[in-house]
Amino acid sequence: VLIISPCSASPNRTLNEMHLLASVREFWSLRCVKRGNVYILGHDLFSRPGPRLVDGCEMIAALLKGVDFDSSTMKRWKGEAFKYECDVSIGNCKNPSHCTTELAQRFKPCFGTNRDVLDDDSKV
């Protein structure tokens, strides 16, 4: 599993800059990339010690282990987590270069979208 959560970058900004990582040939040879186990998470859940760090750990438990949380918790996570949806290893993406086309669109929201979060690049 690869979790990408750059400090001071919104999930939307990270999505828009994924082409920089994808341009590195070795990225496509990572087993987690081939299996579609790549996530982009909002950095504010992990960058500072405090209550948000617990939220971040709970989010990871939900994403990776399927732990259920109440609906109010899930609503707070809207727009904070995206998963790569191009699994090279099972054949739905036969050519990794195909996966780079509009790479940001290959990440799907894990808990729904929140337009305010997705459009916050002007605040960065």
Side-chain angles (χ1 to χ4, degrees), residues 26-106:
E26 291 81 7
F27 174 76
W28 297 105
S29 64
L30 295 172
R31 191 174 342 155
C32 58
V33 174
K34 290 179 180 179
R35 294 182 177 170
N37 291 323
V38 180
Y39 296 86
I40 292 176
L41 305 181
H43 81 93
D44 57 337
L45 296 170
F46 306 99
S47 59
R48 294 183 192 97
R52 295 282 306 198
L53 187 57
V54 174
D55 287 342
C57 292
E58 289 176 343
M59 178 190 284
I60 289 174
L63 291 170
L64 303 183
K65 296 295 183 181
V67 176
D68 287 327
F69 290 93
D70 59 76
S71 61
S72 65
T73 300
M74 304 287 262
K75 284 181 184 177
R76 279 197 325 264
W77 294 341
K78 282 187 176 186
E80 293 288 332
F82 296 84
K83 185 175 190 294
Y84 182 60
E85 295 288 336
C86 192
D87 189 338
V88 178
S89 68
I90 62 170
N92 75 351
C93 184
K94 299 186 186 330
N95 179 354
S97 65
H98 167 75
C99 297
T100 62
T101 340
E102 302 187 22
L103 185 62
Q105 292 180 5
R106 296 198 178 275

Side-chain angles (χ1 to χ4, degrees), residues 3 5 11 13 16 51 65 75 98 110 123:
I3 296 175
S5 184
R13 178 177 170 188
N16 290 330
K65 296 295 183 181
K75 284 181 184 177
H98 167 75
C110 299
K123 300 174 191 172

Side-chain angles (χ1 to χ4, degrees), residues 10-13 15 79 82 113-121:
S10 69
N12 192 44
R13 178 177 170 188
L15 285 167
F82 296 84
T113 59
N114 177 342
R115 268 311 202 200
D116 296 332
V117 172
L118 292 176
D119 293 335
D120 71 349
D121 282 340

